[in-house]
Amino acid sequence: MQIGMVGLGKMGGNMAERLRRGGHEVVGYDRDPAVSDVSSLRELVDRLQAPRAVWVMVPAGEPTQLTVNELGELLDEGDLVIDGGNSHYVDDQRHAEELKAHGIGFVDCGVSGGVWGLQNGYALMCGGDKASVERLMPVFETLKPEGEDGFVHAGDVGAGHFAKMVHNGIEYGMMQAYAEGWELLEASDIVKDVRGSFSSWRTGTVIRSWLLDLLVRALDDDEHLDELKGYAQDSGEGRWTVQAAVDHAVPLPVITAALYARFASRQDDSPAMKMVAALRNQFGGHAVTSAAGSTEKGADSPGADVTPPREAQ
Amino acid sequence: MQIGMVGLGKMGGNMAERLRRGGHEVVGYDRDPAVSDVSSLRELVDRLQAPRAVWVMVPAGEPTQLTVNELGELLDEGDLVIDGGNSHYVDDQRHAEELKAHGIGFVDCGVSGGVWGLQNGYALMCGGDKASVERLMPVFETLKPEGEDGFVHAGDVGAGHFAKMVHNGIEYGMMQAYAEGWELLEASDIVKDVRGSFSSWRTGTVIRSWLLDLLVRALDDDEHLDELKGYAQDSGEGRWTVQAAVDHAVPLPVITAALYARFASRQDDSPAMKMVAALRNQFGGHAVTSAAGSTEKGADSPGADVTPPREAQ
Amino acid sequence: MQIGMVGLGKMGGNMAERLRRGGHEVVGYDRDPAVSDVSSLRELVDRLQAPRAVWVMVPAGEPTQLTVNELGELLDEGDLVIDGGNSHYVDDQRHAEELKAHGIGFVDCGVSGGVWGLQNGYALMCGGDKASVERLMPVFETLKPEGEDGFVHAGDVGAGHFAKMVHNGIEYGMMQAYAEGWELLEASDIVKDVRGSFSSWRTGTVIRSWLLDLLVRALDDDEHLDELKGYAQDSGEGRWTVQAAVDHAVPLPVITAALYARFASRQDDSPAMKMVAALRNQFGGHAVTSAAGSTEKGADSPGADVTPPREAQ
Amino acid sequence: MQIGMVGLGKMGGNMAERLRRGGHEVVGYDRDPAVSDVSSLRELVDRLQAPRAVWVMVPAGEPTQLTVNELGELLDEGDLVIDGGNSHYVDDQRHAEELKAHGIGFVDCGVSGGVWGLQNGYALMCGGDKASVERLMPVFETLKPEGEDGFVHAGDVGAGHFAKMVHNGIEYGMMQAYAEGWELLEASDIVKDVRGSFSSWRTGTVIRSWLLDLLVRALDDDEHLDELKGYAQDSGEGRWTVQAAVDHAVPLPVITAALYARFASRQDDSPAMKMVAALRNQFGGHAVTSAAGSTEKGADSPGADVTPPREAQ
């Protein structure tokens, strides 16, 4: 079928290519003229025959909002917008309302697959009404990996990005679980072959996974990760997962702990732990490491922690 | 090679069978005469030629301790004991010392693979000195799955069970991560196909894994898990992982949260939350649900939470 | 000074009374005519001399929004609205903008003190510009407890409710800390006098506090809290604290754990733990407690947890 | 009454002094001859009349064990040893057994109060049989603060130290709750007076406590804690609390999170977060901060997090 693709970066560009290889006609627009088939969104719309389908593949937030706004003006009743970026599911619901006012349909689609997607296909989670999703099935069929999995019509508008968000939340938890296990093995005096232990788990164990394969590959490159700093960004989706949990009164101790570990990893020094140090200092003159770096031994602890009178013989 | 196998239950029995299929001579002992090749540990020892290797596959704790004690008396200098059960790595170190006093070697071996192991092989993580491990390699080669993974000589005595313990700790964290994601999807109003969402992740995503496959299979049987109670046992190894973390001053927020979720799942009512309810009751007459089941609305909250004066028009 | 008070429930009514005892002239409005001095917000506004100050003490959310809207219409340039309810700090900022469009000032004020406030005074945390706060100081001076503490001009608009929100988040963490300690003491075989232990901590220890006093009082009434269910509501402010933390990338493991414990306390059964049980069931036929209540022992665990072959003698 | 005091450091020395001021006869022994009344434990035992009571106030672990061993040899049947240090409750039970073999009684006593104890008294939590505790009541009465609180006979041997351990666990949780709240306030753009906010809570709020007073005092000295590093030691008792929780299958999310925050505070770099960074790097060429300090922007994320194609206009 014919489809417009807005945003031809690493994701959008590869998806357009996979669609073309699958026999679809793709008209692509990107603000970089070097990769764009048309010079403007207006021209893209003009090049498509109604009823049109336009896949938006630009960063979440303002870029997506601006694109949706502009398409709302340019498209006609009966056309369809697909947001394949990483939008917040709450924004999907607003975008759908805004477009509906113009008679334009909306489908949200969480996409997973990355650099391997062009070759292997993209896992797709979409949300929207049944008719709109049906209409897009030829496109979804081409984009998704071979086999029975890799695609779901998860529910109403927003459900695709909600599912993708939860996918990422789970990913946070799994990564942290492996990472904690790795730290504990590294801390052990008796375990000498940590890389080999993880490698041994790739076959025949309960925790074998694609992430485990990546982990072993990372250790093959740098056995003790000496080249890296313990500093990890978080994408919006981890935060949204926790916020959705709070909104739905669902306890997510593991996923939240994984998110907080990333927050903490980006702090040069923990303000909270400064306060804990300050309190310990107050109530007993504990040894406190000052910002200057030296460790001063204060008066002995009083009642809080250890009471260290001199040792008897 | 020739090997003794003590404990012919589901694990030991299948491992003995896999070894025989691989051309090894196995003399098996079990206290159940129906499955035992010999009538006693003494007879087992007598049937093996020195230097002997005896694989112990009985429950951790007292059963393993008693077996090690008895083998310490029966075996000769130069013989070798392998503990393939789920012993605590701290116990391994003691067992090794005890056997060493008799000139007997010791290797610990964490085993993963379960009911699929007979067919597909067992992932093996072992600990001990190099010479002992080398001597057992023919046995390990037969037990492990095909391919380059599935076996590690992780380090000194205890390292095998330490690695297996950490494997299980990671497993706790991963299971909880999936479980939390599932709960959040189930709680969403807009997501209609939760099973399908998980299924879609089996291909092309970052979180694909064997556990995810199991999860989808569980939802195929019972889409909303209506047949199950939210009640999960924990094995010793999850607890040991947390205790090892505390001993090594390694923070494990995710793995510990997963363990605690299991503890909480087994409580009919949370004592801690009774106390929270009691405090709320004290400081403001919050609505408290009494054990009898009714919800009494007390006086309005004072300063702690919401101050709900009557609504203005 | 002269002040209008909107909302004469337990909090607003007592605050009006404390202000009157302090020599202020209070015109009160409540939708319940039995307690109201005037029959409408319009009449309240008419009874006050410009520049007016109107303290809004109604529930957060829609009631406060409606009151602010209406006051925006009724008040004149130079008047001042104080929101003393438990509004979200984000809403304060919007309210301030809306009123500013009418030339009306806005101050937010978090209030703590509850049923003891009339007698002992209310802790006040307020946000807004300096001139507006200065203008209200006579009122704040009367409402606050005696002594140097109990009042802060925390910062810009929203800062008062932000501070109150954080106060409540800390409260969640403290309550949970005591509650966990209580549960652990109750679980001990050797500790016989749990109530007495807590009581002993009221003097001379690091953890003495007003909450500890309440806790002991609760145990005096019901030593093992047999009369209560472990079921605790959460107010909006605990959730807002976690959301603010996520927005600010601040890790709050303790406060969040306390919030999640409340969420979990309200679940009859944990969906997440159903999934953990389902996975355990899948990978090894672990004993699973079915919803019907019986405990079925399945096949032995495979590779995940304990490998329980039959015991050797 | 007459009592021996072993260990005359800050705690033991002050306790001896408080006992003397209360009219008791104290014979003190310390390995530092400058503060010791006697030259050896033997001489201390000789100076006391049977049945003797000897209070041991030396560091937990080996020093206490050695003192108990030596007293076991020196004391007579009917004598009594009190361990007032911070021993693990598990050790108490062993010490009691060892002394019982000599006919010597044992009482464990957790002591809180620190540098203020001499003046204000020490909170005491003791464990042991009723007769032994009764015999020591004159001493406890003198040591404890005035008033009805500050002393508990918590239960059997070990119960005193168990209660003290839980006290410290609660303390960890409370300190962390305040610290997290402080960090969040400091992170806010709109809150300008963080110190004042905490100070305002000292009167009339739910979270007022002695720790809050200390916190305000710390901020008085150093408003943003610029002089401190976020580095906090943990005493053994926080760890023991978590281990006791794991042993008793009691979930302690808050107290454990507080302990883990201290562990993490002492890491220059988090190994676990190196692994998270490594995994992110593997699956998508995320920007990774290398140990060398530079931030390299890798390829765009694939499927895991944000898919950032170029922005559309």
Side-chain angles (χ1 to χ4, degrees):
Chain A
M1 62 180 276
Q2 194 193 46
I3 191 163
M5 176 71 68
V6 180
L8 300 170
K10 191 171 295 284
M11 288 295 286
N14 278 350
M15 290 167 76
E17 175 62 20
R18 186 170 170 96
L19 286 169
R20 283 183 180 122
R21 292 185 191 171
H24 300 280
E25 182 194 345
V26 181
V27 182
Y29 169 69
D30 195 278
R31 59 177 192 170
D32 177 0
V35 299
S36 191
D37 302 322
V38 291
S39 63
S40 67
L41 270 185
R42 175 175 299 276
E43 192 186 335
L44 175 129
V45 169
D46 289 345
R47 286 269 296 271
L48 298 172
Q49 289 154 295
R52 302 172 190 84
V54 179
W55 188 295
V56 179
M57 205 64 201
V58 303
E62 205 184 352
T64 293
Q65 182 68 59
L66 294 174
T67 306
V68 166
N69 291 351
E70 202 173 345
L71 289 172
E73 299 301 324
L74 295 170
L75 292 173
D76 294 321
E77 203 170 324
D79 290 346
L80 196 48
V81 169
I82 308 101
D83 180 2
N86 280 329
S87 294
H88 196 187
Y89 71 96
V90 174
D91 292 341
D92 289 329
Q93 294 168 325
R94 196 181 64 248
H95 294 158
E97 287 302 314
E98 290 164 357
L99 292 169
K100 196 180 182 181
H102 299 275
I104 303 165
F106 180 83
V107 167
D108 60 287
C109 187
V111 178
S112 186
V115 289
W116 295 273
L118 172 58
Q119 185 71 30
N120 302 334
Y122 299 90
L124 305 173
M125 299 134 252
C126 69
D129 64 80
K130 197 170 172 181
S132 301
V133 172
E134 289 289 337
R135 200 168 126 197
L136 294 164
M137 280 311 296
V139 163
F140 293 146
E141 285 291 348
T142 301
L143 287 174
K144 73 182 273 298
E146 281 184 45
E148 57 178 323
D149 301 316
F151 173 80
V152 67
H153 177 194
D156 302 333
V157 164
H161 282 136
F162 196 99
K164 177 61 163 42
M165 173 189 84
V166 171
H167 165 280
N168 285 32
I170 293 171
E171 178 194 315
Y172 276 53
M174 288 173 66
M175 287 168 74
Q176 185 71 20
Y178 284 120
E180 291 179 6
W182 183 73
E183 178 169 344
L184 184 53
L185 278 180
E186 286 277 321
S188 162
D189 286 335
I190 56 174
V191 176
K192 308 297 185 190
D193 189 354
V194 174
R195 196 209 67 84
S197 297
F198 276 88
S199 181
S200 76
W201 298 335
R202 297 176 66 187
T203 314
T205 75
V206 172
I207 65 170
R208 59 188 190 263
S209 73
W210 189 64
L211 275 169
L212 179 61
D213 293 343
L214 294 187
L215 187 155
V216 172
R217 207 160 66 179
L219 296 180
D220 284 341
D221 294 346
D222 179 7
E223 189 170 350
H224 301 289
L225 304 182
D226 296 321
E227 303 300 318
L228 292 176
K229 267 194 68 180
Y231 180 101
Q233 289 294 349
D234 69 284
S235 63
E237 287 166 315
R239 299 189 188 198
W240 295 337
T241 305
V242 171
Q243 286 173 327
V246 169
D247 286 337
H248 290 79
V250 167
L252 296 191
V254 156
I255 291 172
T256 308
L259 178 67
Y260 285 172
R262 294 197 183 184
F263 288 171
S265 81
R266 302 201 299 268
Q267 298 182 322
D268 272 338
D269 200 4
S270 161
M273 298 319 289
K274 285 186 178 209
M275 178 50 81
V276 170
L279 287 171
R280 283 169 59 84
N281 199 21
Q282 283 294 324
F283 64 61
H286 281 273
V288 170
T289 304
S290 76
S294 70
T295 298
E296 302 167 51
K297 182 73 185 66
D300 286 337
S301 154
D305 293 282
V306 195
T307 58
R310 269 181 235 109
E311 228 174 286
Q313 289 182 313
Chain B
M1 62 180 274
Q2 194 194 45
I3 191 163
M5 176 70 69
V6 180
L8 300 169
K10 190 171 294 285
M11 287 295 285
N14 279 349
M15 290 167 77
E17 175 61 20
R18 187 171 170 95
L19 285 170
R20 282 183 180 124
R21 291 184 191 172
H24 299 281
E25 181 194 345
V26 181
V27 182
Y29 169 68
D30 195 277
R31 59 178 189 168
D32 176 0
V35 299
S36 192
D37 301 322
V38 292
S39 61
S40 68
L41 271 185
R42 175 176 299 276
E43 193 187 333
L44 175 129
V45 168
D46 288 345
R47 287 267 296 271
L48 299 171
Q49 289 153 296
R52 304 172 187 84
V54 180
W55 189 295
V56 178
M57 206 65 203
V58 304
E62 206 185 351
T64 293
Q65 181 68 59
L66 294 174
T67 306
V68 167
N69 291 350
E70 202 173 344
L71 289 172
E73 300 301 323
L74 295 170
L75 292 173
D76 293 322
E77 204 170 324
D79 291 346
L80 197 48
V81 169
I82 308 101
D83 180 3
N86 281 328
S87 295
H88 195 185
Y89 70 94
V90 174
D91 291 340
D92 289 329
Q93 296 166 324
R94 197 180 63 247
H95 294 159
E97 286 303 312
E98 289 163 356
L99 291 168
K100 195 179 184 180
H102 299 275
I104 304 166
F106 180 84
V107 167
D108 61 287
C109 187
V111 178
S112 186
V115 290
W116 293 273
L118 172 57
Q119 186 70 31
N120 302 335
Y122 300 89
L124 306 174
M125 299 134 250
C126 68
D129 64 81
K130 196 170 172 181
S132 300
V133 172
E134 289 290 337
R135 203 167 123 196
L136 294 163
M137 279 313 294
V139 163
F140 293 146
E141 286 290 349
T142 301
L143 286 174
K144 75 183 270 297
E146 281 184 44
E148 56 179 321
D149 301 316
F151 173 82
V152 67
H153 177 194
D156 302 333
V157 164
H161 282 135
F162 196 99
K164 177 61 165 41
M165 173 190 83
V166 171
H167 165 281
N168 285 32
I170 292 171
E171 178 194 314
Y172 276 53
M174 289 174 65
M175 289 169 73
Q176 185 71 20
Y178 285 119
E180 291 178 8
W182 183 74
E183 178 169 343
L184 184 54
L185 278 180
E186 285 278 319
S188 163
D189 286 335
I190 55 175
V191 177
K192 308 297 185 190
D193 189 355
V194 174
R195 197 210 66 83
S197 298
F198 276 89
S199 181
S200 77
W201 298 336
R202 295 175 66 186
T203 313
T205 74
V206 172
I207 66 171
R208 60 187 190 263
S209 74
W210 188 66
L211 274 169
L212 179 60
D213 294 342
L214 294 188
L215 187 155
V216 172
R217 205 160 68 179
L219 295 180
D220 284 341
D221 293 346
D222 179 8
E223 190 170 350
H224 300 290
L225 304 182
D226 296 322
E227 303 300 318
L228 292 176
K229 269 193 67 178
Y231 180 102
Q233 290 293 350
D234 68 284
S235 63
E237 286 166 315
R239 300 189 188 197
W240 295 337
T241 305
V242 172
Q243 287 174 325
V246 169
D247 287 337
H248 290 79
V250 167
L252 296 191
V254 157
I255 291 173
T256 308
L259 178 67
Y260 285 172
R262 296 196 181 186
F263 288 171
S265 81
R266 301 201 299 268
Q267 297 182 322
D268 273 337
D269 200 6
S270 160
M273 299 318 290
K274 286 186 177 210
M275 178 50 82
V276 170
L279 287 171
R280 281 170 58 84
N281 199 23
Q282 284 294 324
F283 65 61
H286 280 273
V288 170
T289 305
S290 75
S294 70
T295 298
E296 303 166 50
K297 182 73 184 67
D300 286 336
S301 154
D305 293 284
V306 195
T307 59
R310 269 180 234 110
E311 232 174 283
Q313 290 180 316
Chain C
M1 61 179 277
Q2 194 193 44
I3 191 162
M5 177 70 68
V6 180
L8 301 170
K10 192 170 293 284
M11 288 295 287
N14 278 350
M15 289 167 76
E17 175 61 21
R18 186 168 170 99
L19 286 169
R20 283 183 179 122
R21 291 183 191 171
H24 300 280
E25 182 194 344
V26 181
V27 181
Y29 169 68
D30 194 279
R31 58 178 191 170
D32 176 0
V35 299
S36 191
D37 300 324
V38 290
S39 61
S40 67
L41 271 185
R42 175 174 300 275
E43 193 185 335
L44 175 128
V45 169
D46 288 345
R47 287 267 298 272
L48 299 171
Q49 289 154 296
R52 302 172 189 86
V54 180
W55 189 296
V56 178
M57 205 66 202
V58 303
E62 205 185 351
T64 293
Q65 182 67 58
L66 294 174
T67 306
V68 166
N69 291 351
E70 201 174 344
L71 288 173
E73 300 302 323
L74 295 170
L75 291 173
D76 294 321
E77 203 171 322
D79 289 346
L80 197 48
V81 170
I82 308 100
D83 180 2
N86 281 328
S87 295
H88 196 185
Y89 72 96
V90 174
D91 292 341
D92 289 330
Q93 294 167 324
R94 196 180 64 247
H95 294 160
E97 287 304 313
E98 289 164 357
L99 291 168
K100 196 179 182 181
H102 299 274
I104 304 165
F106 179 84
V107 167
D108 61 286
C109 187
V111 178
S112 185
V115 290
W116 295 273
L118 171 58
Q119 187 71 30
N120 302 335
Y122 300 89
L124 306 173
M125 298 135 252
C126 68
D129 66 80
K130 196 170 171 181
S132 300
V133 172
E134 288 290 336
R135 201 167 125 199
L136 294 164
M137 280 312 295
V139 163
F140 294 145
E141 286 290 349
T142 302
L143 285 174
K144 73 183 273 298
E146 281 185 44
E148 55 178 324
D149 302 315
F151 173 81
V152 67
H153 176 193
D156 302 333
V157 164
H161 282 137
F162 195 100
K164 177 62 165 40
M165 174 190 82
V166 171
H167 165 279
N168 284 31
I170 293 170
E171 180 195 314
Y172 276 52
M174 289 174 66
M175 287 168 75
Q176 185 71 19
Y178 284 120
E180 291 179 6
W182 184 73
E183 178 170 341
L184 184 54
L185 278 181
E186 286 277 322
S188 163
D189 287 334
I190 56 175
V191 176
K192 309 297 186 188
D193 189 355
V194 174
R195 198 210 65 83
S197 297
F198 276 87
S199 181
S200 76
W201 298 335
R202 297 176 65 186
T203 314
T205 75
V206 171
I207 66 170
R208 61 188 188 264
S209 72
W210 189 63
L211 274 169
L212 179 61
D213 293 343
L214 293 187
L215 187 156
V216 171
R217 207 161 67 181
L219 295 179
D220 284 342
D221 293 346
D222 180 8
E223 190 171 349
H224 301 289
L225 304 182
D226 297 321
E227 303 301 317
L228 292 176
K229 266 194 68 178
Y231 180 102
Q233 289 294 349
D234 68 285
S235 63
E237 287 166 314
R239 299 188 188 198
W240 296 336
T241 305
V242 172
Q243 287 174 326
V246 169
D247 287 338
H248 290 78
V250 168
L252 295 192
V254 156
I255 291 173
T256 308
L259 178 66
Y260 285 172
R262 294 196 183 187
F263 288 172
S265 81
R266 303 201 298 267
Q267 298 182 321
D268 272 338
D269 200 5
S270 161
M273 298 321 289
K274 285 185 178 212
M275 178 51 81
V276 170
L279 287 171
R280 283 170 58 84
N281 199 21
Q282 283 294 324
F283 63 62
H286 280 273
V288 169
T289 304
S290 76
S294 71
T295 297
E296 303 166 50
K297 182 71 185 67
D300 286 337
S301 154
D305 293 284
V306 194
T307 58
R310 267 181 236 110
E311 231 175 285
Q313 291 182 312
Chain D
M1 62 180 275
Q2 193 193 46
I3 190 162
M5 177 70 69
V6 180
L8 300 170
K10 191 170 294 281
M11 288 295 286
N14 279 350
M15 290 167 77
E17 176 61 20
R18 187 169 169 98
L19 286 169
R20 282 182 179 123
R21 291 183 191 171
H24 299 281
E25 181 194 346
V26 182
V27 181
Y29 168 69
D30 193 278
R31 60 180 188 167
D32 176 0
V35 299
S36 190
D37 300 323
V38 291
S39 61
S40 67
L41 270 185
R42 175 175 299 277
E43 192 186 335
L44 175 129
V45 169
D46 289 344
R47 287 268 298 272
L48 298 171
Q49 288 153 297
R52 302 171 189 85
V54 179
W55 188 294
V56 178
M57 205 65 202
V58 303
E62 203 184 352
T64 293
Q65 181 69 58
L66 294 174
T67 306
V68 166
N69 291 351
E70 200 174 345
L71 288 173
E73 300 300 322
L74 295 170
L75 292 173
D76 294 320
E77 204 171 321
D79 289 347
L80 197 48
V81 169
I82 308 100
D83 180 3
N86 280 329
S87 295
H88 195 186
Y89 71 96
V90 174
D91 291 341
D92 290 330
Q93 294 167 325
R94 195 180 64 246
H95 294 159
E97 287 303 312
E98 290 164 356
L99 292 168
K100 195 180 182 181
H102 299 275
I104 303 165
F106 180 83
V107 167
D108 60 287
C109 187
V111 178
S112 186
V115 290
W116 294 273
L118 171 59
Q119 187 71 30
N120 302 335
Y122 300 89
L124 306 173
M125 299 134 250
C126 68
D129 65 81
K130 196 170 173 181
S132 299
V133 173
E134 288 289 337
R135 202 167 124 196
L136 294 163
M137 280 312 295
V139 163
F140 294 145
E141 286 291 349
T142 301
L143 286 174
K144 75 184 270 300
E146 281 184 46
E148 55 178 321
D149 301 316
F151 174 82
V152 66
H153 176 194
D156 302 333
V157 164
H161 282 137
F162 195 100
K164 177 61 162 44
M165 173 189 83
V166 171
H167 165 280
N168 284 32
I170 293 170
E171 179 194 314
Y172 276 52
M174 289 175 64
M175 287 168 74
Q176 185 72 19
Y178 284 119
E180 290 179 6
W182 183 73
E183 178 170 343
L184 184 54
L185 279 180
E186 285 278 320
S188 163
D189 286 335
I190 55 175
V191 176
K192 309 296 187 191
D193 190 354
V194 174
R195 198 211 65 84
S197 297
F198 276 88
S199 181
S200 77
W201 298 335
R202 296 176 65 187
T203 314
T205 74
V206 172
I207 65 170
R208 61 189 188 263
S209 73
W210 188 65
L211 274 169
L212 179 61
D213 293 342
L214 293 188
L215 187 156
V216 172
R217 204 161 66 181
L219 296 179
D220 284 341
D221 294 346
D222 180 6
E223 189 169 350
H224 300 289
L225 304 182
D226 297 321
E227 303 300 318
L228 291 177
K229 267 193 68 179
Y231 180 102
Q233 290 292 350
D234 68 284
S235 64
E237 286 165 315
R239 301 189 186 197
W240 296 337
T241 305
V242 172
Q243 287 175 324
V246 169
D247 287 338
H248 290 79
V250 167
L252 296 191
V254 157
I255 291 172
T256 308
L259 178 66
Y260 284 172
R262 295 198 182 184
F263 287 172
S265 80
R266 302 201 298 269
Q267 298 182 322
D268 273 337
D269 199 4
S270 161
M273 298 319 290
K274 285 185 177 209
M275 178 51 80
V276 169
L279 287 171
R280 283 170 58 84
N281 199 22
Q282 284 293 325
F283 64 63
H286 281 272
V288 169
T289 304
S290 74
S294 70
T295 299
E296 302 167 50
K297 181 72 185 66
D300 285 335
S301 153
D305 291 284
V306 194
T307 59
R310 269 180 235 108
E311 232 176 282
Q313 290 180 314

